[in-house]
Amino acid sequence: MRAARLIKMVLLLQTRASMTAAELARELEVSERTITRDAQALSEAGVPVYADRGRAGGYRLVGGYRTRLTGLARSEAEALFLSGVPGALREMGLQDTASAARLKVSAALLPSVRDASRTASQRFHLDAPAWFSEPRTPELLPSVADAVWDDRPVLARYRRGESEVERALEPYGLVLKAGVWYLCARVADTEAFRVYRIDRFTAVEPGPERFRRDDGFDLPGFWAERAEEFARSVLRSEVVVRLSPDGVRRLPYVLDPASAKEGLSASGDPDGQGWVTLTLPVESEEVAHTQLWGLGPDVEVLAPASLRERCARDAARSAALYR
């Protein structure tokens, strides 16, 4: 632990002209007293760390000293490709690994471009969670992430309805969708790949051996396919509506994207008033009522009759309020 911290301290001083004890302590998450002891240990080991005294003082490397400890470990290289998603790195327990990788890359760069990581972070930030929701990190996410990175099979218990199920899984990849973490895994001794919500896991026990990955597995492609299947699977009912031109434009904003896309792609030609009649796949009549109500007078429900009558009653009640 201390050896890794000393290396990180040298790399920090190599990438910056000078750093105060407070700055180093903040970066390395230790006390200033520990920084003083670490600087002394580096000096005794032959690393020319010099301490400037006074209010504007700090630590620096003497004589343009440069370490060659810049080779990336495999885990650091993998984490480096995720450095644009700091929140996800932190939740998976990879923040320190990515930090070490960035320092090694910075130390190997020319001084003229050494601030590239800082300038890039000022210009791009990924905020994965959805609006108006409080993201929660699943307790077992770091354990699952370790198994994914290390190709370790796991024996997992997870909640399915009111019961718990145990499965032997080969964890292939993690997906963060709108603040929710998912595991894409192959069920052991089968060819079946499935998706699991990690916040439903109650226990994860890694196995001692590594499993052999299917090199043809494409995580983005697999997720896109399963996400589309899921979106379509919940659309079990149909409604027939008429939409004004403005209603057609606003439909994708109030309905599930898959439903709006399917309905609009199969719609007929506009009538004399520019209105379009189309059939929409929906999750249920209840959900359709809530969603279509957002279009107000730009939608007319034609079928089923029960939904049309419900919308008519609600429209009459609204009209009475505004008389």
Side-chain angles (χ1 to χ4, degrees):
M1 183 68 176
R2 190 190 186 198
R5 188 176 71 242
L6 292 175
I7 291 173
K8 192 172 182 179
M9 182 174 176
V10 173
L11 291 172
L12 282 168
L13 293 175
Q14 186 171 309
T15 55
R16 307 182 195 180
S18 176
M19 295 184 70
T20 65
E23 290 172 336
L24 285 167
R26 186 165 53 251
E27 287 278 357
L28 299 175
E29 298 181 348
V30 295
S31 66
E32 292 186 32
R33 185 183 296 273
T34 298
I35 294 298
T36 301
R37 289 198 296 265
D38 285 353
Q40 183 177 351
L42 286 172
S43 181
E44 292 173 354
V47 179
V49 177
Y50 180 77
D52 290 316
R53 306 295 180 185
R55 180 176 298 180
Y59 292 94
R60 59 186 175 86
L61 295 175
V62 179
Y65 175 86
R66 296 185 65 81
T67 176
R68 297 188 181 277
L69 297 174
T70 52
L72 292 179
R74 179 178 181 84
S75 61
E76 293 170 342
E78 290 171 339
L80 188 61
F81 284 99
L82 295 172
S83 58
V85 283
L89 280 169
R90 183 174 58 252
E91 293 178 9
M92 287 188 289
L94 296 173
Q95 187 176 25
D96 289 342
T97 303
S99 175
R102 286 193 295 268
L103 277 172
K104 288 182 178 181
V105 170
S106 296
L109 294 174
L110 293 173
S112 59
V113 294
R114 198 166 287 160
D115 65 342
S117 61
R118 180 182 61 82
T119 57
S121 65
Q122 291 173 340
R123 289 162 173 79
F124 173 77
H125 173 67
L126 176 64
D127 185 10
W131 287 104
F132 312 118
S133 63
E134 185 67 30
R136 294 181 179 178
T137 303
E139 182 179 347
L140 295 174
L141 176 60
S143 298
V144 176
D146 285 344
V148 169
W149 297 123
D150 209 23
D151 292 342
R152 299 278 183 183
V154 298
L155 186 63
R157 292 186 62 83
Y158 67 96
R159 294 186 301 274
R160 190 168 69 181
E162 297 298 322
S163 61
E164 284 194 359
V165 180
E166 188 172 84
R167 288 284 186 273
L169 303 174
E170 296 175 353
Y172 267 65
L174 297 168
V175 174
L176 176 60
K177 170 71 172 178
V180 179
W181 284 94
Y182 297 88
L183 171 67
C184 300
R186 181 165 60 187
V187 180
D189 300 324
T190 74
E191 297 299 319
F193 283 90
R194 295 178 182 172
V195 177
Y196 301 87
R197 277 186 62 143
I198 296 179
D199 58 6
R200 293 178 182 167
F201 284 175
T202 58
V204 173
E205 183 180 342
E209 306 293 333
R210 289 183 170 87
F211 66 87
R212 184 169 183 175
R213 274 180 171 264
D214 178 357
D215 292 334
F217 178 76
D218 173 24
L219 179 60
F222 171 79
W223 176 258
E225 180 181 325
R226 289 304 172 90
E228 185 175 351
E229 287 177 3
F230 172 77
R232 191 65 187 85
S233 69
V234 299
L235 304 177
R236 303 185 183 93
S237 303
E238 287 185 344
V239 299
V240 181
V241 300
R242 289 179 69 236
L243 292 173
S244 71
D246 196 43
V248 170
R249 180 184 62 81
R250 292 166 53 202
L251 184 66
Y253 298 98
V254 300
L255 219 61
D256 298 310
S259 173
K261 180 180 179 181
E262 183 172 330
L264 291 171
S265 65
S267 64
D269 296 328
D271 61 19
Q273 297 176 308
W275 286 57
V276 175
T277 299
L278 64 157
T279 300
L280 295 170
V282 294
E283 185 174 345
S284 66
E285 186 174 314
E286 180 72 26
V287 172
H289 172 264
T290 302
Q291 293 174 328
L292 294 173
W293 191 247
L295 294 176
D298 289 306
V299 62
E300 178 188 1
V301 175
L302 303 178
S306 57
L307 180 58
R308 178 178 175 86
E309 292 169 2
R310 181 175 181 177
C311 290
R313 288 196 303 269
D314 288 347
R317 291 172 59 196
S318 293
L321 287 174
Y322 289 96
R323 286 198 182 109

